[in-house]
Amino acid sequence: MSIDRFTKAVVTVFALAVAFAPVTTSAETLRVLRGSATAPLAVPMNRAIVVESDEPFTEISIANPGIADISSLSDRTIYLLGKEPGRTTMTILGPDGRLISNVEVQVTPDIAEFKERLEQILPGEPIEVRTANNGIVLSGTVSSTARLDRAMELAERYAPERVSNLMSVGGTQQVMLKVRFAEMQRAVSKSLASSLTAGSNSSVGNLSGLGPVATSGASVGGSGGIASNSDSNGAFLFGFNAGGLEVGILLEALESRGVVRTLAEPNLTALSGQEAKFLAGGEYPVPVAQEDGQITVEFKPFGVELVFTPRVVDGDIINLELLAAVSSIDPANGFTANGFTISAFKRRETSTTVEMRDGESFAIAGLLSDDFTNLKGQVPWLGDVPVLGSLFRSVEYSRQQTELVIIVTPHLVTPTRGQALALPTDRVQPPSERDMFLFGNVDGPTAGGAGEVARQDFSGSYGYVME
């Protein structure tokens, strides 16, 4: 009984030793049978495989040694090395010169190493890598344009000029750019002028710091005619007679202040990488002389102009190439030639490239100009006399200030349903005949916008403050 148990134990130990003993396997080789190969041999570039023939051979040759290199390890084993991407043919001959096989060899880029590098550089990106016609084909959906460019740049190192891009970029690729143009123009001018006129009743002489004074109009003092310029504001004229001499003194004072406020907020949406343009203004005709003497007309745009090209770089990072301009017609600086009067333009323009995230803002341009003019005119020598010299002087003072700021804010946007969008015309309705003829209303009841604004609470600081 004990002998049987001992025998069973030995058999069990032997069986376990055989089961867990290390198994020695030989390297995998490709076998080539007599006749044509059923499929081409795929060899990675700069890698080697071993080809084994079922019959001994005496001669082997390669059609294009620049694509692959061969050497014999034995009379049945061939060492095949891929050198450059391409296709070629390997011929195997037997001892009597008989053809054993023509093997098609296809050397492809080493995508195994490329896949490893791609996973290390762009982890988590579902990029599929394939070989086709001695090149690399990339497909899948990447998260941003920057990652797509990195994948393409890496693939070019393994297959220069043989990379096909079938990848697409996921996420939001449409950018809405909100631009705010804010400009304030302030102008202040002051002038003080005096004129002294003296002469007989029949002939009136003029001594003035401004120039001749009109003599037609209401008379002062006697029968002579001394009057102020009809274009003057704040003019004071008085005079007196001294025997046959009539004296008139004209004092003119003018002070003006002006403020111009310009605000434009264009919003424009474009696809990533595509240019978009915007113009709110008009076009001014400008005559242009041609070589044959004819006159043609070219139109120059003016107003608020915006040209931008957005690029979604990575996630919510947006790269913007931007051209913004504010222009207006300036008749004061125009000129007249050949019967044509052409106005000049005032133009403030900026061109820049910025990078920011979704919803962030940049003040890309700021212009502050301050023009000061102080002009004094007087009658020589008489204007330098103390006290009385002020009657022979004219002083003019003017100051112009312009402040322009351009702020840009990009947003990643997606389409929405049409019912969620409102138009300015939705808030105003045409009036009925009763409202128009009986009550004199030029528009009907407002819907939405005006009522919502009326119900808003404007307590606290709001609006714009100008110092």
Side-chain angles (χ1 to χ4, degrees):
M1 187 67 178
S2 59
I3 296 176
D4 294 338
R5 292 180 178 177
F6 177 77
T7 303
K8 291 180 179 180
V10 172
V11 172
T12 302
V13 172
F14 180 77
L16 292 175
V18 173
F20 290 97
V23 179
T24 304
T25 58
S26 59
E28 183 179 359
T29 58
L30 300 178
R31 299 185 63 85
V32 177
L33 304 178
R34 176 179 294 276
S36 300
T38 56
L41 295 179
V43 183
M45 188 175 62
N46 298 325
R47 298 291 182 91
I49 63 172
V50 176
V51 181
E52 187 177 84
S53 174
D54 62 337
E55 294 184 10
F57 58 85
T58 58
E59 184 179 354
I60 55 176
S61 62
I62 192 77
N64 189 348
I67 296 178
D69 192 10
I70 56 175
S71 61
S72 58
L73 301 178
S74 66
D75 60 350
R76 293 176 180 266
T77 307
I78 304 171
Y79 183 82
L80 180 60
L81 173 65
K83 299 173 65 177
E84 293 292 337
R87 287 175 178 267
T88 186
T89 303
M90 181 178 63
T91 302
I92 305 176
L93 300 177
D96 53 356
R98 292 180 295 105
L99 176 66
I100 297 178
S101 180
N102 278 327
V103 181
E104 183 178 356
V105 179
Q106 180 180 0
V107 180
T108 60
D110 188 5
I111 62 174
E113 182 182 358
F114 172 62
K115 288 181 178 180
E116 294 177 1
R117 299 294 178 265
L118 195 63
E119 182 63 27
Q120 293 173 358
I121 297 175
L122 301 175
E125 293 291 341
I127 301 177
E128 298 181 1
V129 182
R130 299 181 178 88
T131 59
N133 194 21
N134 306 328
I136 295 178
V137 179
L138 303 180
S139 60
T141 302
V142 294
S143 58
S144 66
T145 306
R147 291 176 175 260
L148 184 146
D149 294 338
R150 293 171 192 167
M152 290 293 297
E153 183 179 357
L154 182 61
E156 285 289 339
R157 294 183 175 273
Y158 288 86
E161 299 181 357
R162 295 190 305 274
V163 180
S164 298
N165 180 21
L166 301 181
M167 295 181 292
S168 60
V169 181
T172 304
Q173 296 297 309
Q174 295 181 126
V175 179
M176 183 189 73
L177 185 65
K178 179 179 180 181
V179 183
R180 288 175 287 174
F181 297 85
E183 182 179 21
M184 291 296 300
Q185 298 181 20
R186 308 175 184 90
V188 177
S189 63
K190 298 178 182 180
S191 63
L192 177 62
S194 63
S195 298
L196 176 63
T197 305
S200 63
N201 292 335
S202 60
S203 176
V204 178
N206 181 273
L207 296 174
S208 173
L210 291 177
V213 178
T215 58
S216 61
S219 62
V220 176
S223 59
I226 301 175
S228 65
N229 194 336
S230 60
D231 295 335
S232 300
N233 294 327
F236 179 71
L237 174 66
F238 63 93
F240 59 91
N241 293 330
L245 182 65
E246 184 180 272
V247 179
I249 299 176
L250 175 64
L251 297 178
E252 294 179 292
L254 175 64
E255 179 178 356
S256 64
R257 296 176 180 269
V259 174
V260 178
R261 174 181 178 269
T262 303
L263 176 65
E265 295 188 9
N267 297 335
L268 197 58
T269 303
L271 188 65
S272 177
Q274 301 297 318
E275 182 182 89
K277 298 181 179 180
F278 177 89
L279 172 64
E283 292 186 342
Y284 181 78
V286 177
V288 178
Q290 303 297 325
E291 296 180 355
D292 55 0
Q294 295 183 355
I295 302 298
T296 60
V297 177
E298 292 184 2
F299 290 88
K300 301 295 184 181
F302 67 91
V304 177
E305 301 176 62
L306 175 64
V307 180
F308 82 103
T309 302
R311 291 181 177 86
V312 182
V313 180
D314 193 0
D316 60 347
I317 299 178
I318 304 170
N319 180 281
L320 288 176
E321 293 183 9
L322 187 68
L323 171 64
V326 180
S327 58
S328 59
I329 299 176
D330 184 15
N333 295 322
F335 72 98
T336 302
N338 298 327
F340 292 100
T341 299
I342 304 175
S343 299
F345 286 87
K346 291 182 179 179
R347 185 176 179 88
R348 284 80 72 200
E349 179 180 322
T350 179
S351 177
T352 183
T353 301
V354 294
E355 191 171 273
M356 64 191 80
R357 294 185 180 273
D358 179 17
E360 295 181 341
S361 297
F362 258 134
I364 64 169
L367 169 65
L368 178 61
S369 63
D370 191 348
D371 298 331
F372 174 78
T373 303
N374 192 1
L375 179 64
K376 182 179 74 170
Q378 67 179 19
V379 177
W381 301 297
L382 296 179
D384 296 329
V385 176
V387 182
L388 295 178
S390 60
L391 298 177
F392 303 94
R393 289 196 302 264
S394 65
V395 180
E396 183 178 353
Y397 158 87
S398 65
R399 186 175 185 179
Q400 294 181 349
Q401 292 180 324
T402 301
E403 185 175 1
L404 172 66
V405 176
I406 302 176
I407 300 176
V408 297
T409 305
H411 294 280
L412 296 174
V413 295
T414 55
T416 185
R417 298 182 62 87
Q419 294 82 353
L421 301 177
L423 300 176
T425 54
D426 297 339
R427 302 175 180 178
V428 180
Q429 300 178 1
S432 63
E433 295 183 357
R434 174 177 173 271
D435 293 334
M436 183 172 58
F437 292 108
L438 186 59
F439 299 102
N441 296 331
V442 295
D443 56 358
T446 59
E452 293 176 0
V453 173
R455 291 191 296 269
Q456 290 180 4
D457 182 13
F458 288 101
S459 60
S461 300
Y462 66 93
Y464 297 89
V465 178
M466 182 186 69
E467 297 181 356

